């Protein structure tokens, strides 16, 4: 597809729209793009009435990048020592903490783990009653700023028709949630795992139109840290909503991994066509009493 300067995807009943600005070789045709889109829908698992990878309509509305934007971000010819510029102004955040091995906040870390395990079970064929759409929510209790236990887990998952709530709970609750959330000896007592009793048989695009960028909090830190407001999907490195947020996360997690802080929030600010240094603001919290990270731990020889 070439360089996706800024693409958006809209999906609704039997319809997918790919729109935005891009550049690339003329050998990439709309037919090839449509084939990639259908393959992605098939890999996800949409094969039902109302949204099927083989029968849905796909509209491709792509055009070249605006000349006004291009002049601000394009580098000059090789040898001119001019870097690419930022594609927009804005603020971006990176965050890391020592609550989990991935240096992510505990609630979003375990919510993602649960869905990843369910997805693996569905794709392997072990769980045939489950559809492709799902969401999870993990409530974690904190004491003195540290996670001490999981209070509640809520999982909503698309399922085949005429599947009773008890069956869905047995499929998802104990085997999936129990394996992903840690057991602690804290005073926090889990109140249980909730599988909503209502039917969830329709594919999400047939019930609620889905659009790129609607789940920016789920894509980052689950609300544990600020967010600049820009989505990540469909953007190349000149779109600082994505690249600067990734860079800020990279710096934040290495600060925490080195034991220099228990939590780190890094904020970057850019302007359009900016090729100089970013403006930055950082917030550090002293290392907590955590066996994984010590304030004496040396700076890593190789950044993670």
């Amino acid at each position: 597809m070439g360089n996706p300067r800024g693409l958006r995807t809209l999906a609704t009943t039997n319809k997918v729209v790919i729109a935005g600005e891009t550049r690339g070789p003329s050998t990439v045709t709309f037919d090839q793009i449509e084939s990639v889109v259908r393959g992605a829908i098939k890999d996800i698992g949409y094969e039902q009435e109302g949204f099927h990878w083989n029968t849905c309509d796909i509209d491709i509305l792509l055009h070249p990048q605006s000349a006004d934007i291009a002049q601000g971000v394009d580098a000059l010819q090789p040898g001119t020592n001019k870097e690419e510029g930022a594609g927009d102004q804005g603020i971006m955040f990176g965050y890391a903490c020592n609550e989990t091995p991935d240096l992510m906040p505990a609630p979003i870390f375990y919510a993602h783990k649960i869905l990843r395990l369910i997805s693996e079970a569905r794709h392997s064929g072990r769980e045939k009653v489950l559809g492709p759409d799902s969401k999870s929510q993990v409530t974690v209790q904190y004491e003195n700023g540290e996670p001490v236990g999981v209070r509640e887990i809520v999982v909503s998952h698309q399922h085949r028709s005429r599947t009773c709530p008890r069956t869905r709970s047995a499929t998802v609750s104990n085997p999936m949630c129990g394996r992903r959330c840690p057991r602690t000896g804290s005073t926090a007592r889990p109140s249980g795992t909730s599988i909503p009793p209502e039917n969830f048989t329709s594919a999400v695009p047939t019930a609620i139109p889905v659009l790129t960028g609607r789940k920016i909090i789920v894509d980052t830190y689950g609300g544990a840290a600020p967010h600049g407001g820009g989505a990540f999907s469909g953007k190349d490195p000149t779109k600082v909503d994505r690249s600067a947020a990734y860079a800020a996360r990279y710096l934040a997690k290495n600060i925490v991994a080195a034991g220099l802080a228990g939590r780190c929030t890094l904020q970057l600010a850019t302007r359009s066509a900016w090729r100089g240094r970013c403006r930055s603001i950082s917030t550090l919290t002293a290392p907590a009493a955590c066996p994984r990270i010590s304030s004496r731990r040396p700076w890593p020889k190789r950044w993670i």
Side-chain angles (χ1 to χ4, degrees):
M1 191 179 296
N3 200 348
R5 294 291 182 176
L7 303 183
R8 303 293 183 270
T9 302
L10 167 68
T12 185
T13 304
N14 283 325
K15 172 73 74 173
V16 175
V17 179
I18 308 294
E21 51 176 323
T22 186
R23 64 175 64 178
S26 59
T27 54
V28 179
T29 66
F30 279 12
D31 288 340
Q32 291 174 312
I33 297 174
E34 179 178 332
S35 178
V36 171
V37 173
R38 292 194 187 278
I41 298 172
K42 183 178 181 180
D43 288 342
I44 294 171
Y46 287 119
E47 295 183 333
Q48 52 198 282
E49 183 179 357
F51 200 73
H52 194 291
W53 65 269
N54 193 39
T55 59
C56 67
D57 294 329
I58 298 177
D59 290 344
I60 301 172
L61 308 174
L62 300 179
H63 59 82
Q65 185 179 39
S66 164
D68 293 338
I69 297 178
Q71 69 178 352
V73 301
D74 284 354
L76 296 180
Q77 297 298 320
T80 58
N81 196 29
K82 181 182 179 183
E83 298 179 350
E84 284 191 337
D88 200 356
Q89 68 187 53
I91 57 174
M92 288 65 57
F93 293 89
Y95 178 77
C97 61
N98 60 10
E99 296 175 8
T100 61
D102 288 355
L103 305 181
M104 290 287 285
I108 195 70
F109 175 83
Y110 291 111
H112 283 174
K113 287 287 188 181
I114 290 169
L115 293 187
R116 190 172 297 117
L117 186 62
I118 295 173
S119 179
E120 292 171 358
R122 180 175 63 84
H123 281 288
S124 70
R126 296 198 311 270
E127 301 298 346
K128 301 183 183 301
V129 302
L130 301 178
D133 292 313
S134 61
K135 55 186 176 180
S136 66
Q137 178 176 301
V138 178
T139 302
V140 175
Q141 179 172 329
Y142 284 73
E143 294 179 0
N144 299 319
E146 296 298 318
V148 295
V150 175
R151 294 303 303 260
E152 187 171 15
I153 303 170
V154 179
V155 179
S156 297
H157 209 297
Q158 183 190 6
H159 55 271
R160 296 184 182 276
S161 59
R162 299 181 180 179
T163 303
C164 69
R166 182 176 298 178
T167 300
R168 300 200 306 272
S169 181
T171 300
V172 174
S173 177
N174 294 329
M176 307 301 178
C177 301
R179 288 172 55 186
R180 283 306 179 190
C181 290
R183 297 180 180 275
T184 66
S186 70
T187 57
R189 297 182 179 179
S191 58
T193 301
S194 174
I195 308 296
E198 64 272 11
N199 285 330
F200 184 3
T201 58
S202 299
V204 165
T206 67
I208 305 173
V210 293
L211 178 67
T212 298
R214 288 187 63 247
K215 299 297 180 182
I216 57 176
I217 299 303
V218 174
D219 287 343
T220 52
Y221 310 106
H227 196 295
F232 299 158
S233 303
K235 297 180 179 179
D236 78 339
T238 68
K239 301 299 184 182
V240 289
D241 285 334
R242 180 178 187 175
S243 55
Y246 287 1
R249 161 68 179 169
Y250 178 76
L251 294 172
K253 72 176 185 178
N254 278 280
I255 289 172
V256 173
L260 302 178
R263 295 183 180 86
C264 176
T265 303
L266 184 65
Q267 175 184 333
L268 303 179
T270 67
R271 63 174 174 83
S272 298
W274 184 254
R275 292 182 171 87
R277 298 177 179 176
C278 292
R279 307 297 195 265
S280 64
I281 301 174
S282 60
T283 301
L284 306 177
T285 302
C290 177
R292 292 188 300 274
I293 296 199
S294 168
S295 59
R296 299 191 187 96
R297 182 175 176 177
W299 191 266
K301 294 181 179 179
R302 180 180 179 184
W303 284 28
I304 58 175

